[in-house]
Amino acid sequence: MLKSLSRQPWTCPRCLYRQQRARRSLTTAATATAHVPYDDIRIPSVDNGAPGAKHDDRTLRQIFDSQAVWRDFSHRTRSYASGRTAGLFQNHYLTSPAGFQEFARDTLRKCRKIVAKVLGASTVEEYKTMARDLDRLSDLLCRVIDVSDFVRVTHPDQRIQAAATQAYASMFEYMNVLNTTTGLNEQLQKALADPQVTALWSEEEKVVAQILFKDFAKSAIDLPSGQRQKFVDLSNDISRLGSEFVDQMQPEQSYLLLNSSKMKGMDPTTVQRLTRYGKVILPTVGAASSLALRTVEDEDTRREIYVVSRTPSTQQIYLLEQLLKRRAELAKLSGYNSFAHMTLNDKMAKTPESVNQFLLALAADNAGRMQHELAELLRLKQVDFTNGANSDRINAWDREYYRARLQSRSRSTSRKPDFLSAYFSLGTVMQGLSRLFSRLYGVRLVPHATLPGETWNDDVRRLDVIDENEGHIAVVYCDLFERPGKSPNPAHFTLRCSRQISDAEVAEAATTTPPKSTSTTPEQVASDGMSTSRNPTTNTLHQLPTIALICDFSLPSHPHRPTLLTFREVQTLFHEMGHAIHSILGRTSLQNVSGTRCATDFAELPSVLMEHFASAPEVLALFARHWETDAPLPYQMIKEKIESDRKGEAAETENQILLAMLDQHYHSSLLPLSPSFDSTRVYQDIWRTHSSVPEPVGTRWQGFFGHLYGYGATYYSYLFDRAIAGKVWKDVFQRREGGAVDREAGQVFRDEVLRWGGGRDGWRCVAGVLGDGRLSEGGAGAMAEVGRWGVRD
């Protein structure tokens, strides 16, 4: 099945939080290019060997930290030929709303030409281009779909949103036609079955052909027409039920009526705001109930709040169970033992049995730390005179309360909460990321002035990624500041993937005249005007990875002051740049396997690994300086922050393990087809068997577990990648002093992981970077081994 390969960003615990919107009163620091190292940490000097590198490094900080510098920089090229716009992302179609439909129409024409070529193939010579032809077909679809999907949810102009939505819909309609074109599947099978053909394919072509073959198999294209229609109907039902399950979440009880005397410990201002006629009207879900669980002293009140906050409406449970039933029916129709077997077939895990091996091993590793945390909390409870006689154990409604107490006690009282932020202006953090990438991978971020109409907002900065050997290799659009109507959730979007553009495509483009063309060469026309470059060694032409990074950082409160980030925001930016560097360096010849287009349970490895770099002393020494005094950040401050944040880490890990187990139980059998299936019974059984803290009878939190729709049968993936990332961090980047900025370590990770995108089996990547050949074939044993590594942030 041909499909859009755009990936939804994983909404991990660190990425769920809403960016803080508190206005900060700060002023711009003079930009420094020299480093004052922390104590005895030795940091390699900045690589400023390339012409203009020092200027680029300085400018990178200034365009994010100084509004005056940004205004000057961004207005240099605002006057453009004849007043025309360059088009969004310099795509020569996207100069107006009408351009989206023209883009879609021209793309459909090109797609139909490729389909005719594939269906007409009959010789070895014609079949040998099959993998590349189908990859180009996929790329053409994604060129429209990925950009349109991004624009329709990001662009502030409603006319452009509507045009992008229409283009998006028309391309999906065409994909539905392709998905019922059995001839495409039959031709691919013939090519795969002919050794004369496959002998002519590169390894990348073989991988892409297998990916497409599996996609066709999952689409039920081999089924008789009646059953194929049932497959389509079930798929539509799953989409509808899943959307309703996520969008219509409601608790069984919306509010609790409580005496204000029961709310002692909670912020009095908040309590007063919630009080009506002497009663506190507490919403049972949301920020207020979460705050109450962390601060209310009365244990009985906390228990009441906990139970209602984990009890969704009966309708929610019905929607979930119908969703699980449809998925089981879909799997059965497709010939799989379960939806999990169907979903995991092309993942690193392969089977739900292997996932369970991983989760059980991880739970065993986490058990000791969990018991230590509970013992700490219990000691607090036992000396707490407010808890009465019930002090022999920690209950589910006690955890957040005593964890907050513990963190409050461990937090330094000599510093204000925003003390660390003074060392993290947005410009210095971006500068630090560029310096880090320069040391590890030989690439740096260079500010590039945009043309009129190239971006969707005047605050968007364009950065070109420059490789010390290959030159220009990627484009990153940074939309990092808050504005009304913008989503608060950080995200990485691939607007265009890496892919080699053939000479035949360039020749075809030479005969094409795009509308209102600002593209002056056939190479530009072949890429719709978006960025390309030639490999200096092979002279092959590639379309460049084009990426959008979205965050929601507060604007400075004064025009001469920079935005300062909390340390958590720094970690978030590092995480998203981890996705970006995977897209940037995973520059494959075929777009189906470029960058982050890899197995779901492998895609988070680079981004989770980047979070480790955010707290490494040798990395912080590259950039963390006080915005006003230019003094380097004392590492002890970060160390205290990390130690404080890690309190409760084992409990969070256990909770994620439990949710992953629940996900597997729901999806790894055909049990949802049974009339007696009860999702609440399964939920309670999992918690009773594996949780260190008993769950109260009557709760059914599975109705609030929205990831069951977007990540059905794959929720384990984030834990899995955390475990691998921790091992890579320890064995590759911490094996020697200063390893976090060591080029040799970076080159190993680039060569064994990043450069492959999804073109190499994930297990071979992990085995290669760790130098452990035992892992190269994967399997249940390898999954259990990863579980035994544990998760260490």
Side-chain angles (χ1 to χ4, degrees), residues 268-286:
T269 304
T270 302
V271 174
Q272 185 177 15
R273 179 171 54 83
L274 297 172
T275 300
R276 296 289 185 276
Y277 307 108
K279 292 284 188 179
V280 174
I281 305 173
L282 182 73
T284 55
V285 294

Tab-separated table of all heavy atoms in Angstrom, residues 268-286:
chain	number	residue	atom	x	y	z
A	268	PRO	N	-4.264	28.849	48.763
A	268	PRO	CA	-5.523	29.497	49.180
A	268	PRO	C	-6.183	30.300	48.065
A	268	PRO	O	-7.413	30.350	47.990
A	268	PRO	CB	-5.084	30.410	50.333
A	268	PRO	CG	-3.800	29.821	50.818
A	268	PRO	CD	-3.135	29.229	49.624
A	269	THR	N	-5.377	30.923	47.207
A	269	THR	CA	-5.951	31.708	46.109
A	269	THR	C	-6.729	30.808	45.156
A	269	THR	O	-7.831	31.148	44.697
A	269	THR	CB	-4.837	32.439	45.338
A	269	THR	OG1	-4.092	33.250	46.253
A	269	THR	CG2	-5.419	33.305	44.236
A	270	THR	N	-6.166	29.642	44.874
A	270	THR	CA	-6.842	28.693	43.992
A	270	THR	C	-8.119	28.176	44.640
A	270	THR	O	-9.160	28.062	43.992
A	270	THR	CB	-5.911	27.511	43.657
A	270	THR	OG1	-4.725	28.014	43.052
A	270	THR	CG2	-6.583	26.526	42.720
A	271	VAL	N	-8.040	27.854	45.939
A	271	VAL	CA	-9.217	27.369	46.660
A	271	VAL	C	-10.320	28.422	46.638
A	271	VAL	O	-11.493	28.099	46.389
A	271	VAL	CB	-8.852	27.000	48.113
A	271	VAL	CG1	-10.113	26.643	48.905
A	271	VAL	CG2	-7.873	25.834	48.142
A	272	GLN	N	-9.937	29.678	46.876
A	272	GLN	CA	-10.921	30.757	46.883
A	272	GLN	C	-11.584	30.892	45.509
A	272	GLN	O	-12.802	31.099	45.398
A	272	GLN	CB	-10.255	32.071	47.273
A	272	GLN	CG	-11.233	33.234	47.425
A	272	GLN	CD	-10.534	34.499	47.885
A	272	GLN	OE1	-9.324	34.603	47.832
A	272	GLN	NE2	-11.307	35.469	48.360
A	273	ARG	N	-10.789	30.763	44.447
A	273	ARG	CA	-11.320	30.881	43.092
A	273	ARG	C	-12.325	29.775	42.797
A	273	ARG	O	-13.268	29.959	42.017
A	273	ARG	CB	-10.157	30.835	42.091
A	273	ARG	CG	-10.585	30.921	40.635
A	273	ARG	CD	-9.370	31.087	39.720
A	273	ARG	NE	-8.383	30.044	39.941
A	273	ARG	CZ	-8.429	28.842	39.393
A	273	ARG	NH1	-9.448	28.501	38.626
A	273	ARG	NH2	-7.475	27.960	39.614
A	274	LEU	N	-12.154	28.608	43.425
A	274	LEU	CA	-13.031	27.463	43.171
A	274	LEU	C	-14.218	27.399	44.133
A	274	LEU	O	-15.080	26.526	43.997
A	274	LEU	CB	-12.227	26.160	43.300
A	274	LEU	CG	-11.091	25.957	42.295
A	274	LEU	CD1	-10.264	24.728	42.672
A	274	LEU	CD2	-11.639	25.805	40.879
A	275	THR	N	-14.300	28.310	45.094
A	275	THR	CA	-15.326	28.250	46.135
A	275	THR	C	-16.576	29.021	45.729
A	275	THR	O	-16.504	30.147	45.249
A	275	THR	CB	-14.769	28.818	47.460
A	275	THR	OG1	-13.637	28.040	47.865
A	275	THR	CG2	-15.835	28.762	48.546
A	276	ARG	N	-17.711	28.370	45.922
A	276	ARG	CA	-19.017	28.993	45.691
A	276	ARG	C	-19.923	28.621	46.858
A	276	ARG	O	-20.125	27.443	47.146
A	276	ARG	CB	-19.658	28.497	44.386
A	276	ARG	CG	-18.894	28.871	43.121
A	276	ARG	CD	-18.997	30.366	42.802
A	276	ARG	NE	-18.359	30.668	41.525
A	276	ARG	CZ	-17.054	30.894	41.368
A	276	ARG	NH1	-16.253	30.812	42.440
A	276	ARG	NH2	-16.564	31.190	40.190
A	277	TYR	N	-20.456	29.634	47.536
A	277	TYR	CA	-21.399	29.427	48.636
A	277	TYR	C	-20.836	28.463	49.678
A	277	TYR	O	-21.524	27.571	50.173
A	277	TYR	CB	-22.741	28.915	48.107
A	277	TYR	CG	-23.317	29.789	47.025
A	277	TYR	CD1	-23.328	29.364	45.692
A	277	TYR	CD2	-23.840	31.052	47.334
A	277	TYR	CE1	-23.857	30.174	44.696
A	277	TYR	CE2	-24.362	31.862	46.349
A	277	TYR	CZ	-24.371	31.426	45.031
A	277	TYR	OH	-24.891	32.230	44.044
A	278	GLY	N	-19.573	28.648	50.010
A	278	GLY	CA	-18.957	27.876	51.076
A	278	GLY	C	-18.462	26.499	50.677
A	278	GLY	O	-17.902	25.774	51.506
A	279	LYS	N	-18.680	26.104	49.436
A	279	LYS	CA	-18.228	24.802	48.959
A	279	LYS	C	-17.185	24.980	47.850
A	279	LYS	O	-17.310	25.864	46.998
A	279	LYS	CB	-19.411	23.988	48.394
A	279	LYS	CG	-20.414	23.545	49.444
A	279	LYS	CD	-19.870	22.360	50.250
A	279	LYS	CE	-20.946	21.796	51.163
A	279	LYS	NZ	-20.450	20.643	51.945
A	280	VAL	N	-16.183	24.105	47.868
A	280	VAL	CA	-15.190	24.094	46.800
A	280	VAL	C	-15.717	23.205	45.671
A	280	VAL	O	-16.043	22.035	45.891
A	280	VAL	CB	-13.836	23.562	47.310
A	280	VAL	CG1	-12.846	23.426	46.152
A	280	VAL	CG2	-13.277	24.480	48.382
A	281	ILE	N	-15.821	23.775	44.489
A	281	ILE	CA	-16.264	23.023	43.311
A	281	ILE	C	-15.007	22.682	42.512
A	281	ILE	O	-14.497	23.494	41.735
A	281	ILE	CB	-17.263	23.838	42.472
A	281	ILE	CG1	-18.438	24.296	43.337
A	281	ILE	CG2	-17.757	23.024	41.279
A	281	ILE	CD1	-19.388	25.238	42.634
A	282	LEU	N	-14.516	21.466	42.702
A	282	LEU	CA	-13.232	21.063	42.125
A	282	LEU	C	-13.449	20.244	40.855
A	282	LEU	O	-14.056	19.165	40.905
A	282	LEU	CB	-12.440	20.220	43.141
A	282	LEU	CG	-11.051	19.763	42.688
A	282	LEU	CD1	-10.075	20.939	42.693
A	282	LEU	CD2	-10.537	18.642	43.590
A	283	PRO	N	-12.949	20.731	39.704
A	283	PRO	CA	-13.007	19.885	38.494
A	283	PRO	C	-12.233	18.585	38.735
A	283	PRO	O	-11.160	18.599	39.336
A	283	PRO	CB	-12.335	20.746	37.422
A	283	PRO	CG	-12.390	22.145	37.953
A	283	PRO	CD	-12.314	22.027	39.436
A	284	THR	N	-12.766	17.479	38.261
A	284	THR	CA	-12.135	16.188	38.576
A	284	THR	C	-10.981	15.837	37.645
A	284	THR	O	-10.244	14.890	37.920
A	284	THR	CB	-13.178	15.064	38.516
A	284	THR	OG1	-13.827	15.087	37.242
A	284	THR	CG2	-14.211	15.251	39.611
A	285	VAL	N	-10.842	16.550	36.541
A	285	VAL	CA	-9.674	16.366	35.684
A	285	VAL	C	-9.095	17.736	35.371
A	285	VAL	O	-9.809	18.739	35.376
A	285	VAL	CB	-10.019	15.633	34.367
A	285	VAL	CG1	-10.445	14.210	34.623
A	285	VAL	CG2	-11.081	16.373	33.572
A	286	GLY	N	-7.793	17.775	35.124
A	286	GLY	CA	-7.151	19.037	34.789
A	286	GLY	C	-6.197	19.501	35.864
A	286	GLY	O	-5.861	18.778	36.819
